[in-house]
Amino acid sequence: MADSTNPRTRLVALVEIFLLYTDDYNILSLEEIQIKLAEYGYDVNRRTLLADIKAMNTTPFKVISVTKPKKGYFMARSHSETSLHLIMEAIYSSESMSAETVKEIEKNIRKISCIPTFDLLKKSTKNISPLIERSNYSQ
């Protein structure tokens, strides 16, 4: 069960939701995001969710608000090294992603970053994520 009072872990869950369920063509409404967060154990009100999304828009993630054809949000797919590091932390700490999904995301991250950058990010993420040590995700 998630610590529903910890804003940092809630943001990691929100990053995971945006990674798994959104792209330029698939957006989520605030209500859909609230439902997904509830599945992760976070019961947040609309105001808190909007504040989280605003915070994510001031980071390298750039969660985009959409008004047409459907009102909602998605995560832009161009990322800085900082946002890639946080994305990797989110996927490595996920309890819902399979090893195959993690490998596929790693492959895609490798494509959008240079290989030395990806390897450095993976190594530094390994140092902060204890779940990697217990998994087969690291090589």
Side-chain angles (χ1 to χ4, degrees):
M1 187 69 167
D3 176 3
S4 61
T5 62
N6 188 332
R8 184 174 188 271
T9 59
R10 185 179 66 243
L11 286 174
V12 169
L14 193 54
V15 169
E16 181 177 329
I17 289 166
F18 278 112
L19 282 171
L20 289 173
Y21 302 106
T22 72
D23 58 32
D24 296 348
Y25 304 102
N26 298 293
I27 61 176
L28 294 175
S29 68
L30 283 175
E31 293 77 20
E32 292 168 324
I33 297 168
Q34 283 178 299
I35 291 167
K36 295 287 184 196
L37 279 172
E39 292 170 7
Y40 282 72
Y42 298 98
D43 185 23
V44 297
N45 61 37
R46 184 179 177 90
R47 182 180 219 163
T48 300
L49 182 54
L50 286 170
D52 288 348
I53 291 171
K54 183 177 180 181
M56 289 180 71
N57 268 327
T58 60
T59 67
F61 287 113
K62 295 299 179 196
V63 175
I64 306 297
S65 174
V66 176
T67 56
K68 292 181 184 177
K70 176 183 172 188
K71 189 173 183 178
Y73 298 86
F74 71 95
M75 184 180 291
R77 293 301 188 234
S78 60
H79 305 290
S80 70
E81 287 181 28
T82 303
S83 64
L84 290 174
H85 189 276
L86 291 172
I87 289 168
M88 291 174 68
E89 182 179 354
I91 66 167
Y92 290 148
S93 62
S94 169
E95 295 178 4
S96 63
M97 289 190 202
S98 68
E100 294 84 24
T101 301
V102 170
K103 289 291 184 192
E104 186 65 27
I105 293 172
E106 284 181 343
K107 185 173 104 180
N108 290 325
I109 291 173
R110 189 180 290 274
K111 285 180 187 176
I112 62 173
S113 67
C114 64
I115 290 173
T117 299
F118 174 80
D119 292 338
L120 178 63
L121 288 171
K122 188 171 180 179
K123 183 177 181 179
S124 63
T125 304
K126 181 177 178 179
N127 292 335
I128 63 171
S129 179
L131 292 178
I132 293 175
E133 295 299 324
R134 299 185 314 220
S135 71
N136 294 324
Y137 299 158
S138 61
Q139 297 174 2

